[in-house]
């Protein structure tokens, strides 16, 4: 019946009530299209079969299932062919028929037969391919086939039903009918099977750990809808263990390697550009005149000031000008614009992919308004068939679904890209920090560098997420205008003009925002907070009662920061106002011009709502473009900062003039010299930390380095000593023994597995130094550089260390050792002595030859001959005895693990309590909060009102059909429409202003509460909390409170009201929609609840896993010279990669969970669109076109708004966690009040009498006592020496005087007043301590001496004179305003110690405590300090924690402590004669008689050492 076929093909099947496709199309095109697709893709799979002879995987049930289904389909195809052959040539054929079956009945079964064989081969190919678990092409083939078969499916069904009704139950072509439905069923099964991944057994574990293995290997259906790992669906809160492992490509190592390779190329190019620029500038300068050039050259040759340099005083004005000019030039002296190209080149693959998805999404977004237009014409024109309406409704949902799918794929790629960029930048900053020169390091503080890693890398992440909008926004604007032109003609130019006018206004605002710089104050504040926390960690701030000064400094900067924030907020509210007015103004201008130009132009529903939909599309790029530009501006600044950091050239300080020195292998060489003679600089030079202006340094073999101030990592004691070397038990034990760490390990709760706090907080100075020495000794290097390691330990320990480790018989005896030392008693035992004077080597030789030569060295010896016995500093004190408790009988595994000092960071789980929101609103002020909500509500009412007015306006087109449109009506319509639009803008403006003021209130209150409380928490908190964690609160969390919360709060309110408005309008148009809202709302609620819980927990995990990145970074920066000396940069890089990877593990699931949510929500939104269209088709006769247009155009918007509402709910919850974290630290228990009701008299303590009554103390409630019932009386002006072996409780005693630890029992009286009744500041400000570590803060010298500015300059100069610093400070260009760098790094340790003495002199209190005050000081400075103290504090009560027994021999009495009890307390001579504890300690120190300070010659006998 070929003829019948042809007539069927030609007749129209669409112009009727029940349309259908022609059968010939169904039998040809719809069959051949999917098969053609399969044939095109098959070679790729079959090629694998040719290459891989053996299958790599076992035969899974899934694979067998797929093959059986295809096999059955093969049989149906063969059966189909058999039926046709039978009909044409079989014995049962109809002999009367003249025509045979059409050729299609032969062609199709043959094609299918071949295709099914091909498909079986393809599936085998997939099984053999390495790493493949399924095939996207096979899945797509089944999908296309099933979709194409739906048409013949319904055709055959309709035909069969018609036949049955008409011809009494006979189906004309039963065999083919049955075969078609059998094969359709099999195809459906095949489609379902192909959607599952066939994961081989060996890869199952991998898939559980790395679900991206499946996502990336084309498990197409699941990856399209971002089907999450079941772990995300658990009811219990997620923990780090639940996180997926990262795939190879997403690991920090891979990302940073690719980034570094590209960066090298780009930097090279940037440097070349810079050199060309510099050359040009140089030529210009040369032409200006050579004299000037010479002068500038001279200026630049001045090194940056180090403590020893005395800069010439000059005319200050000139200097300032020079400085400015030089700064400007320096700024330009770094290669620029290489960072962005690097990012673009490294990640170009993802960038292109995401660009493609974005393009498709943008194009699809313009299809909906066109379908809406058809829909409106369908409701107005009743002659159109009903099925057309249903088709439009289906088209709407199809377009929406595809748009959603593409959009989410785009977002997924963008967010992963953002994550990778952040990772690359963090890794690059860390890598750079490991090689940056000392000078460059001094230019930015640790705080600022950490900021580069945290805030700035995050900013890059945020901008990269939306980078495509740079081209997509203009594209969307252009397309929207083109479609609008089609609708409204030239009238659209009026709207366009309004938009163009907005651009310069916006440019102006962006420019003004750019000038409002917030980062400067933020860096400044973080710098002070960092120092403040370090100051508290080493007790200085608390002992001096200086907290208020620092609090005021931070609050001052914070106020400046808030002023800037307010400016910024006002500017953004102006731009928000303009952009919320923009859509209203644009549509107003367009519609007004459209109806005014020509009286024939009537606004009908089709035009109005298509235009409104297009304006809605326009709204997003218009609002986003300025935000993006602002973000780009900020990133631009950070790009320069990063470029600057990375382009640091190696400019170093010049300290030595000319040094020539050769050291033979295996020798022990001592380096001596007075303060500032350049001993430490010599060591730095050997380590390559200093720049050689001339000559070279050659060190053969590996190096181990012991710095002057020990650098301890936050790790176990064992890890600190092993420092990355493998553990060899015998060598480890020998090292511990030699470094006298055995007794300490017995005292530490977990032995060598005890965790050491940040900066070695739970070790004493002596223990830190010994651990540092043990690290060097264990490392088995060739050359040992020892920068005064023996100064921080007490005398007998010093003797032991020299004998066992450093000396001629120590474990390092065959190594080359360079020992910087301040003492002289070891000098006879060294092979060679190098004497430094003013940065030059003045003498080199053996002890005897130098002594005989009567040069600088013999003067040095003569000066200190009497002092020789004092040689060793530092009784080893355990400052925080928290680690020295008698260990309790441990649980079985407890000892192995060691004691965890640093507690795990607590992490809130579950929903954020409502009280946290209330707390934030309360901080904002209730007035602001309610007004803000009210204003936004009214704005939304105005928006709905405007659209309802428009829908009413469009009905005029029908009312005035073929009539003249009256002018008054036109003017009213335009006027009301415009007024409502402007009203919206004004209300948004008011709301934004109210929110800005409220949120700044909240920021101020929350920050000051946090600061207030952190300064008042007891020391115990700082012992157990790493400072990185506290810094995180001040940096990341306060940043969130300042910037993110107000933003997400506003967006949430707008989205919430937007969704309510949309539902209201749809229900108004089609009331039956209310029935659909309820099931949708239920689904929505569950999706949202499930997602928010996971997302919130993932964000918390992200926050918690970020802290270690910054802690580790801070630690690395402070220990750079040690890490570089040992050559362990790679190990630290690896560790950094590990901590960043841990963080990425929580970021990646967060991204996927966002997409998971978005896909599901957008489907819900798409259903809203579908139902609003469907109901409009059903109620076609009772609805006017205006309302249909309104409800569908609103529904088209709801998808986005619903998505944003959940996103904002989640974001608000996530961000509000910052308030929760900040308030966690504001609600911690405080130490006693700073000022209590009982105030001591003005001059208290006048006499300075001390009395301890049965005084007992413990560090933490759960630990044992450290002092067991101390009872003693100390009279006014007595000089008491306190001695005792390590851990005897000497430091605990001073801590109790200052109430750093509170009494467990008993009391201390000062001049008869119980100190427990006084306020802490009243007590601490009346006592004076010269602490063990000289700590300085960055700021002026004056600030370091007198932060409250209570003394006049004259008094300060007088004190500087007494502390022997007047000459030095007077020689500085800025005098008292000389800037001290972070930690006082631009002063030598001796100078720092003298400054601490000056602080004590300024306070003039009657009680002075000296705590190991001369630890790291050479004999000369020590002499000065001792003399000054004896002279200036003669009228005071002085308690000295003795380190050199010698220095307390002239005390009135000596207190000997042992295990927290006083064992002896009497005058030195009485105790010496008693021959008890004191006597044995004196004998160890080489003191044979108390009357004479000279050292008995036997003390230096070789047997004694």
């Amino acid at each position: 019946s070929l003829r019948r076929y042809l007539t069927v093909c030609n007749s129209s099947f669409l112009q009727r009530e029940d349309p259908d496709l022609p059968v010939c199309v169904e039998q040809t095109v719809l069959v051949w299209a999917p098969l053609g697709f399969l044939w095109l893709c098959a070679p790729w799979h079959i090629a694998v079969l040719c290459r891989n002879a053996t299958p790599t995987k076992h035969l899974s049930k899934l694979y067998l299932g797929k093959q059986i289904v295809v096999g059955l389909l093969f049989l149906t195809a063969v059966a189909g062919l058999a039926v046709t052959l039978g009909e044409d040539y079989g014995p049962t054929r109809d002999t009367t028929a003249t025509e045979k079956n059409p050729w299609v009945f032969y062609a199709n079964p043959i094609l299918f037969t071949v295709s099914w064989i091909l498909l079986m081969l393809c599936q085998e190919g997939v099984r053999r391919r390495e790493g493949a678990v399924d095939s996207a092409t096979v899945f797509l083939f089944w999908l296309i086939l099933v979709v194409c078969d739906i048409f013949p499916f319904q055709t055959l069904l309709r035909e069969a039903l018609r036949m049955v009704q008409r011809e009494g139950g006979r189906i004309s072509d039963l065999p083919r009918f049955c075969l078609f439905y059998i094969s359709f069923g099999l195809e459906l099964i095949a489609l379902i099977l192909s959607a599952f991944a066939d994961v081989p057994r060996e890869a199952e574990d991998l898939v559980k750990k790395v679900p991206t293995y499946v996502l990336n290997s084309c498990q197409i259906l699941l990856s399209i809808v971002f089907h999450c790992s079941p772990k995300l669906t658990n009811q219990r809160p997620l923990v780090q263990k639940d996180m997926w492992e990262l795939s190879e490509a997403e690991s920090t190592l891979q990302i940073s390697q690719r980034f570094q390779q590209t960066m090298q190329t780009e930097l090279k190019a940037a440097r070349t550009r810079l050199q060309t620029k510099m050359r040009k500038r140089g030529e210009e300068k040369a032409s200006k005149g050579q004299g000037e050039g010479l002068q500038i050259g001279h200026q630049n040759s001045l090194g940056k000031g180090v403590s020893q340099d005395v800069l010439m005083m000059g005319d200050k004005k000139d200097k300032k000008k020079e400085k400015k000019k030089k700064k400007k030039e320096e700024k330009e002296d770094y290669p620029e614009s290489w960072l962005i190209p690097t990012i673009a080149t490294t990640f170009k693959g993802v960038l292109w992919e995401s660009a493609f998805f974005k393009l498709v999404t943008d194009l699809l977004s313009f299809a909906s308004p066109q379908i809406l237009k058809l829909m409106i014409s369908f409701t107005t024109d009743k002659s159109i068939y009903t099925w057309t309406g249903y088709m439009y409704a289906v088209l709407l949902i199809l377009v929406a679904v595809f748009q959603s799918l593409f959009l989410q794929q785009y977002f997924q790629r963008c967010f992963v890209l953002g994550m990778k960029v952040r990772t690359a930048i963090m890794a690059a900053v860390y890598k750079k920090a490991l090689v940056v020169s000392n000078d460059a390091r001094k230019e930015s503080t640790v705080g600022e560098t950490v900021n580069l890693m945290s805030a700035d890398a995050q900013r890059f992440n945020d901008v990269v997420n939306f980078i495509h909008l740079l081209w997509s926004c203009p594209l969307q604007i252009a397309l929207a205008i083109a479609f609008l032109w089609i609708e409204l003609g030239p009238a659209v130019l009026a709207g366009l003009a309004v938009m163009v006018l907005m651009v310069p206004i916006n440019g102006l605002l962006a420019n003004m925002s750019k000038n409002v710089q917030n980062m400067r104050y933020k860096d400044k504040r973080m710098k002070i907070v960092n120092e403040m926390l370090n100051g508290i960690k080493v007790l200085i701030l608390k002992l001096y009662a200086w907290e208020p000064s620092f609090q005021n400094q931070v609050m001052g900067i914070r106020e400046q920061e808030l002023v800037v924030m307010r400016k910024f907020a006002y500017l953004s509210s102006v731009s928000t106002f303009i952009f919320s007015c923009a859509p209203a103004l644009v549509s107003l201008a367009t519609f007004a011009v459209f109806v005014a130009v020509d009286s024939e132009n009537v606004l009908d529903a089709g035009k109005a709502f298509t235009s409104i939909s297009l304006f809605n599309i326009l709204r997003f790029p218009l609002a986003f473009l300025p935000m993006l530009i602002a973000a780009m501006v900020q990133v631009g600044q950070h790009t320069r900062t990063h470029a600057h950091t990375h382009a640091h050239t190696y400019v170093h300080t010049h300290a030595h003039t000319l040094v020539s020195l050769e050291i033979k292998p295996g020798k022990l060489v001592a380096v001596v010299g007075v303060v500032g003679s350049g001993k430490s600089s010599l060591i730095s030079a050997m380590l390559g930390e200093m720049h050689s202006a001339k000559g070279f340094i050659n060190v053969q073999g590996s190096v181990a380095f012991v710095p002057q101030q020990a650098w301890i990592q936050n790790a176990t004691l064992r890890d600190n000593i092993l420092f990355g070397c493998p553990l060899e038990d015998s060598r480890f034990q020998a090292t511990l023994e030699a470094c006298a760490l055995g007794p300490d390990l017995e005292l530490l709760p977990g032995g060598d597995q005890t965790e050491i706090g940040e900066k070695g907080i739970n070790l004493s100075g002596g223990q830190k130094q010994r651990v540092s020495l043990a690290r060097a000794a264990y490392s088995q290097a060739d050359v040992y550089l020892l920068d005064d390691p023996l100064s921080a330990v007490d005398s007998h320990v010093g003797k032991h260390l020299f004998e066992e480790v450093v000396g001629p018989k120590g474990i390092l005896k065959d190594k080359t050792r360079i020992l910087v030392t301040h003492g002289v008693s070891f000098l006879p035992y060294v092979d060679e002595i190098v004497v430094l004077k003013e940065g030059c080597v003045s003498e080199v030789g053996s002890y005897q030859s130098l002594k005989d030569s009567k040069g600088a060295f013999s003067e040095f010896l003569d000066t200190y001959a009497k002092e020789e016995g004092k040689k060793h500093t530092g009784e080893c004190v355990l400052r925080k005895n928290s680690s020295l408790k008698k260990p309790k009988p441990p649980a079985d595994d407890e000892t192995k693990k060691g004691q965890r000092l640093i507690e795990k960071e607590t992490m809130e789980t579950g929903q954020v309590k409502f009280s946290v929101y209330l707390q934030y609103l309360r901080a904002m002020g209730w007035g602001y909060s309610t007004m803000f909500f009210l204003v936004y509500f009214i704005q939304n009412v105005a928006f709905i009102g405007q659209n309802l007015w428009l829908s009413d306006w469009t009905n005029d087109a029908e009312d005035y059909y073929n009539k003249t449109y009256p002018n008054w009506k036109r003017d009213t319509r335009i006027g009301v429409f415009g007024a409502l639009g402007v009203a919206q803008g004004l209300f948004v403006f008011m709301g934004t202003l109210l929110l800005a003021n409220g949120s700044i209130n909240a920021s101020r209150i929350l920050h000051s509460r946090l600061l207030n409380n952190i300064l008042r928490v007891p020391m115990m908190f700082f012992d157990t909390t790493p400072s990185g964690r506290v810094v995180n609160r001040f940096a990341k969390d306060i940043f969130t409170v300042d910037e993110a919360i107000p933003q997400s709060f506003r967006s949430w309110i707008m989205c919430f009201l937007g969704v309510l408005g949309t539902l209201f309008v749809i229900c108004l148009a089609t009331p039956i929609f209310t029935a659909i809202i309820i099931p949708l709302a239920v689904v929505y609620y569950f999706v949202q609840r499930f997602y928010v819980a996971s997302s919130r927990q993932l964000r918390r995990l992200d926050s918690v896993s970020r802290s270690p990145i910054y802690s580790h970074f801070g630690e690395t920066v402070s220990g750079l010279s040690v890490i570089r000396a040992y050559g362990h940069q790679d190990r630290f890089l690896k560790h950094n990669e590990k901590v960043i990877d841990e963080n990425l593990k929580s970021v990646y699931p967060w991204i996927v969970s966002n997409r998971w949510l978005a896909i599901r929500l957008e489907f819900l939104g798409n259903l809203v669109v579908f139902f609003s269209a469907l109901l409009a088709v059903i109620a076609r006769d009772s609805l006017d076109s205006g309302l249909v247009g309104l409800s569908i155009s609103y529904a088209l918007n709801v998808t986005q708004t619903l998505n944003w509402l959940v996103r904002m709910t989640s974001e608000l919850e996530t961000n509000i966690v910052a308030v929760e974290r900040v308030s966690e630290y504001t609600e911690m228990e405080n130490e006693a009040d700073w000022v209590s009701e009982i105030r001591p008299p003005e001059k208290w303590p006048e006499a300075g009498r001390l009395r301890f009554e049965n005084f007992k103390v413990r560090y933490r409630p759960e630990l044992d006592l450290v002092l067991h019932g101390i009872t003693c009386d100390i009279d006014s002006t007595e000089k008491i020496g306190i001695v005792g072996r390590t851990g005897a409780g000497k430091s605990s005693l001073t801590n109790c005087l200052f109430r750093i630890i509170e009494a467990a029992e008993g009391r201390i009286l000062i001049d008869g007043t119980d100190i427990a009744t006084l306020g802490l500041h009243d007590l601490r400000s009346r006592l004076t301590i010269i602490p063990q570590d000289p700590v300085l803060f960055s700021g002026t010298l004056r600030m370091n001496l007198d932060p409250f500015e209570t003394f006049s300059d004259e008094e300060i100069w007088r004190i500087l004179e007494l502390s022997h610093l007047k000459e030095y400070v007077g020689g500085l260009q800025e005098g008292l305003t000389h800037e001290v760098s972070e930690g006082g790094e631009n002063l030598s340790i001796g100078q720092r110690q003298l400054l601490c003495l000056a602080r004590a002199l300024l306070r003039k209190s009657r009680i002075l405590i000296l705590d190991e005050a001369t630890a790291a000081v050479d004999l000369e400075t020590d002499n000065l300090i001792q003399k000054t103290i004896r002279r200036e504090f003669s009228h005071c009560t002085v308690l000295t924690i003795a380190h050199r027994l010698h220095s307390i021999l002239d005390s009135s009495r000596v207190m000997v402590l042992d295990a927290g009890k006083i064992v002896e307390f009497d005058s030195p001579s009485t105790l010496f004669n008693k021959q008890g504890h004191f006597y044995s300690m004196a004998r160890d120190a080489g003191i044979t008689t108390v009357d004479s300070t000279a050292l008995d010659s036997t003390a230096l006998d070789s047997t004694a050492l």
Side-chain angles (χ1 to χ4, degrees), residues 603-622:
L603 197 64
D604 60 17
K607 281 191 170 24
F609 288 105
T610 310
S611 305
I612 287 284
S613 287
L614 289 166
F615 283 136
N616 277 337
I617 292 175
L618 257 185
R619 205 178 189 154
F620 176 74
L622 274 185

Side-chain angles (χ1 to χ4, degrees), residues 501-514 579 626 629:
L501 278 176
M502 297 289 177
V503 174
I505 298 175
N506 189 56
L508 187 71
L509 286 169
N511 213 17
M512 286 163 80
S513 308
K514 179 186 167 182
F579 277 93
I629 292 166

Side-chain angles (χ1 to χ4, degrees), residues 1080-1240:
L1080 282 182
V1082 171
V1083 175
Y1084 181 80
Y1085 172 74
F1086 279 111
V1087 164
Q1088 183 256 5
R1089 192 171 147 224
F1090 166 63
Y1091 160 78
V1092 169
S1094 293
S1095 166
R1096 184 183 51 228
Q1097 208 51 23
L1098 287 167
R1099 282 324 277 268
R1100 284 176 175 152
L1101 282 171
D1102 175 27
S1103 278
V1104 171
S1105 59
R1106 251 171 218 226
S1107 295
I1109 301 179
Y1110 308 141
S1111 285
H1112 177 244
F1113 184 58
E1115 201 171 70
T1116 306
V1117 174
S1118 54
L1120 261 183
S1121 46
V1122 178
I1123 297 168
R1124 296 207 279 230
Y1126 284 92
H1128 277 227
Q1129 293 95 318
D1130 279 352
R1131 184 166 70 86
F1132 276 78
L1133 268 175
K1134 289 239 169 15
H1135 185 75
N1136 181 52
E1137 280 160 12
K1138 199 171 116 198
V1139 287
I1140 295 181
D1141 277 348
E1142 278 305 305
N1143 176 240
L1144 290 184
K1145 279 182 199 173
S1146 56
V1147 180
Y1148 189 79
W1150 178 73
I1151 293 173
V1152 174
S1153 71
N1154 269 345
R1155 306 281 63 84
W1156 177 93
L1157 160 89
I1159 271 290
R1160 280 146 189 78
L1161 283 191
E1162 292 206 350
F1163 281 170
L1164 276 180
N1166 298 341
L1167 286 176
V1168 173
V1169 176
F1170 178 63
F1171 283 118
S1172 67
L1174 197 64
L1175 295 171
V1177 175
I1178 294 168
R1180 168 189 191 181
D1181 300 328
S1182 59
L1183 278 182
D1184 61 35
S1185 56
L1187 272 179
V1188 171
L1190 184 62
S1191 79
I1192 296 178
S1193 66
Y1194 254 82
L1196 284 173
N1197 242 3
V1198 79
T1199 314
Q1200 224 52 30
T1201 326
L1202 273 180
N1203 200 344
W1204 273 111
L1205 181 64
V1206 173
R1207 184 70 42 75
M1208 286 304 135
T1209 309
S1210 155
E1211 198 173 295
L1212 189 59
E1213 266 215 17
T1214 305
N1215 289 334
I1216 213 89
V1217 169
V1219 176
E1220 182 182 61
R1221 281 163 60 93
V1222 168
S1223 65
E1224 176 200 342
Y1225 277 13
T1226 56
E1227 286 155 15
M1228 276 178 315
E1229 179 193 352
N1230 290 352
E1231 48 184 5
D1233 288 337
W1234 282 352
V1235 178
S1236 66
E1237 289 162 19
I1238 304 172
R1239 301 292 301 264

Side-chain angles (χ1 to χ4, degrees), residues 535-547 1013-1020 1022 1231 1234 1298-1300 1320-1321 1324-1325 1403:
I536 293 176
K537 282 234 167 179
V538 292
L539 286 176
I540 293 293
L541 239 60
K542 292 207 178 288
L543 296 175
Y544 285 158
W546 274 5
E547 296 103 327
N1013 210 54
I1014 283 294
L1015 288 170
R1016 286 176 169 79
V1017 289
M1019 263 323 282
M1020 194 177 90
F1022 291 100
E1231 48 184 5
W1234 282 352
F1298 285 91
R1299 285 178 61 198
I1300 296 291
L1320 291 180
H1321 279 191
R1324 291 171 184 168
S1325 60
R1403 288 182 90 129

Side-chain angles (χ1 to χ4, degrees), residues 946-977:
Q946 190 190 24
N947 283 325
L948 286 172
W949 181 260
L950 180 69
S951 122
D952 195 39
W953 181 0
T954 58
N955 293 337
D956 291 353
E958 289 169 34
D959 301 345
Y960 291 91
Y961 189 60
N962 285 340
K963 291 183 199 164
T964 317
Y965 194 50
N967 285 354
W968 65 268
K969 185 118 191 181
R970 184 191 70 197
D971 297 345
T972 317
R973 290 296 192 198
I974 293 171
V976 175
F977 186 77

Side-chain angles (χ1 to χ4, degrees), residues 38 42 45-46 117-127 138:
L38 175 69
H45 293 293
I46 292 172
I117 294 169
L118 200 60
L119 188 58
M120 287 168 107
L121 292 173
C122 286
Q123 291 186 158
E124 176 61 18
V126 172
R127 183 171 80 99
V138 172

Side-chain angles (χ1 to χ4, degrees), residues 1411-1448:
D1411 181 3
E1412 267 195 313
T1414 45
V1417 180
D1418 61 301
L1419 297 175
E1420 191 180 4
T1421 316
D1422 183 23
N1423 234 356
L1424 293 175
I1425 293 175
Q1426 294 293 346
K1427 276 184 194 154
T1428 311
I1429 289 171
R1430 288 198 178 91
R1431 186 177 67 247
E1432 295 297 323
F1433 294 102
S1434 56
H1435 61 293
C1436 302
T1437 309
V1438 180
L1439 305 183
T1440 308
I1441 293 189
H1443 29 81
R1444 314 174 175 187
L1445 280 184
H1446 212 279
S1447 59
I1448 53 144

